[in-house]
Amino acid sequence: MRFYGIALAASAVVLGACAGGDKGAGDTSAVAVDTSAAAAPAAAAPAAAAPAGGTATAAPITGKTVEVKMIGDAQGYRFDPANITIKAGDGIKFTVVSGGPHNVAFDPATIPAAASAQLDANIPEKMGQLSSALKTNAGESVTVSFANIAPGKYPFHCTPHLALGMKGEITVQ
Ligand SMILES: [Cu+2]
């Protein structure tokens, strides 16, 4: 155990030293990005080549980021606000306030096929097509970029609480 830990730490230092140059620049969300990057390569490479999710790559937010709360309390389960109007290029940050786990998911049947692959690529940490990973603790969040997403209406929901009415609609102008 101890030896393994030391070996890991040592290789991390070496990696850090080598990769320091390219990684240092955009470090705002480096912690989350690095975790998935470290785990992903083996699995992600074949998945990206597979036909399922299309060939889109994540398009970063270029505009403003709107904040939406994910709430579950005595008054029910909800997104607040539930109806959000943004422009293409904006992003939405969904943050757990209470009542988790919550997520942000789009029903593939309601999303235009042309937008589906890009929207799917713009969702970080997914647990399925057009479906973000679950976030349980207050303060945890999911930020979805709507860059490169065509104008239109995008209904969304929380998978665990869909039956309880936790849903909303995003209008991209
Ligand atoms: Cu929920």
Side-chain angles (χ1 to χ4, degrees):
M1 277 305 251
R2 181 159 303 202
F3 177 75
Y4 187 56
I6 291 168
L8 272 180
S11 64
V13 168
V14 172
L15 279 173
C18 297
D22 359 67
K23 290 272 175 182
D27 249 4
T28 351
S29 55
V31 177
V33 171
D34 279 354
T35 322
S36 53
T55 53
T57 53
I61 296 167
T62 55
K64 65 181 189 299
T65 299
V66 175
E67 303 260 356
V68 173
K69 297 178 180 131
M70 301 194 282
I71 303 169
D73 60 18
Q75 290 161 25
Y77 290 88
R78 61 200 184 273
F79 292 98
D80 179 22
N83 295 304
I84 308 124
T85 298
I86 56 172
K87 293 184 163 44
D90 290 345
I92 303 178
K93 181 179 181 184
F94 299 88
T95 303
V96 176
V97 172
S98 55
H102 301 293
N103 79 336
V104 180
F106 300 85
D107 180 349
T110 67
I111 303 300
S116 187
Q118 184 66 64
L119 184 57
D120 191 56
N122 286 2
I123 300 171
E125 296 180 77
K126 286 181 301 176
M127 66 174 183
Q129 185 191 9
L130 294 171
S131 177
S132 85
L134 296 168
K135 297 293 176 181
T136 302
N137 301 310
E140 292 183 330
S141 64
V142 175
T143 300
V144 179
S145 166
F146 286 83
N148 208 14
I149 298 293
K153 297 201 180 287
Y154 296 84
F156 68 99
H157 62 270
C158 165
T159 304
H161 304 123
L162 174 59
L164 298 169
M166 186 166 175
K167 57 189 178 182
E169 186 172 73
I170 298 155
T171 300
V172 178
Q173 292 181 326

